Amino acid sequence: MAKPTDRELVDQARSGDAQAFGVLVRRYQKRIFRLAFHLVRSGAEAEDVTQETFVRAYQALDRFDGRSEPFTWLYRIAVNLSLNMIRARKPSKNSTPADDPRIEALLLETRPSHGVDPAASTQRRELAAALCDGIDALSDTLRTTLILVCIDGVPHEDASRILGCPEGTVAWRVHEARRKLRAYLAERGFGGDAE
């Protein structure tokens, strides 16, 4: 038996099938959490955003018009909730803590290491922390777009629907965010290898 599509699950959930909505939640819960975590930079707040995203989506099932894919709709809700949370909190974080899980994710290697070079490992950790600080220093708009496209792998077409702007604007924002990140890293002594 083939897995139901997201649209079929939304239609079933609209008809009162709570299990269908549960399948949709399980399909996207980790991605929504990851997106929220990168935006709000707090595990507890990302959990709140994730939960609230699905609560709001469930409450608004009747208003889902089908012009976009359900995952795009869910992402849009999560982005809006994340940005609202960021705006509501007092500015308190000026630098990335050493135990930020984003740093560990950046340091994961896909190839086995032949002997660990402590100096290189320290330099990679410093670069990862500077990269996280640089991402955090971007405007909400640039950071959100960069995270959607470059970290979460959302295509420009979908990102434009999620963010409510033209694809060309998404491309410009990604370009501008990367340019600012390169400048930020260069100011901190990380040269051309910081791509």
Side-chain angles (χ1 to χ4, degrees):
M1 184 174 177
K3 290 182 181 178
T5 66
D6 293 347
R7 287 181 185 269
E8 290 170 342
L9 290 170
V10 168
D11 290 340
Q12 292 169 11
R14 261 190 237 181
S15 300
D17 184 353
Q19 289 182 346
F21 191 77
V23 171
L24 203 58
V25 169
R26 285 188 293 281
R27 247 179 223 181
Y28 291 106
Q29 188 170 18
K30 288 181 183 176
R31 287 183 72 182
I32 295 292
F33 175 82
R34 186 175 61 227
L35 169 67
F37 183 79
H38 278 287
L39 291 171
V40 300
R41 302 179 301 272
S42 160
E45 289 178 340
E47 287 176 13
D48 291 345
V49 166
T50 302
Q51 183 176 359
E52 186 65 18
T53 295
F54 290 109
V55 167
R56 290 200 182 183
Y58 188 77
Q59 292 170 340
L61 277 172
D62 291 338
R63 293 191 307 269
F64 177 70
D65 58 14
R67 286 184 291 167
S68 64
E69 289 298 317
F71 95 90
T72 305
W73 177 58
L74 291 169
Y75 265 48
R76 177 96 189 218
I77 295 169
V79 165
N80 289 339
L81 288 170
S82 296
L83 292 176
N84 288 342
M85 186 169 282
I86 291 167
R87 289 179 193 122
R89 79 163 84 112
K90 295 178 187 172
S92 61
K93 295 186 177 182
N94 294 332
S95 67
T96 303
D99 62 346
D100 188 328
R102 295 178 299 164
I103 293 174
E104 295 305 319
L106 289 170
L107 294 176
L108 288 178
E109 291 189 40
T110 55
R111 62 185 190 280
S113 176
H114 295 93
V116 177
D117 178 6
S121 178
T122 299
Q123 188 174 17
R124 281 194 309 273
R125 182 170 292 284
E126 288 171 358
L127 173 60
L131 184 59
C132 288
D133 286 343
I135 290 170
D136 292 349
L138 294 171
S139 69
D140 291 345
T141 303
L142 292 180
R143 186 175 65 251
T144 302
T145 307
L146 182 78
I147 289 168
L148 280 173
V149 174
C150 297
I151 295 176
D152 210 33
V154 174
H156 285 200
E157 181 181 356
D158 293 337
S160 74
R161 286 191 205 106
I162 292 166
L163 299 171
C165 64
E167 279 185 64
T169 301
V170 170
W172 178 85
R173 288 177 184 173
V174 169
H175 171 78
E176 186 67 7
R178 286 179 171 169
R179 184 189 67 74
K180 287 185 176 205
L181 275 177
R182 278 192 297 275
Y184 184 92
L185 292 172
E187 288 172 8
R188 280 143 188 86
F190 297 100
D193 63 340
E195 275 299 317

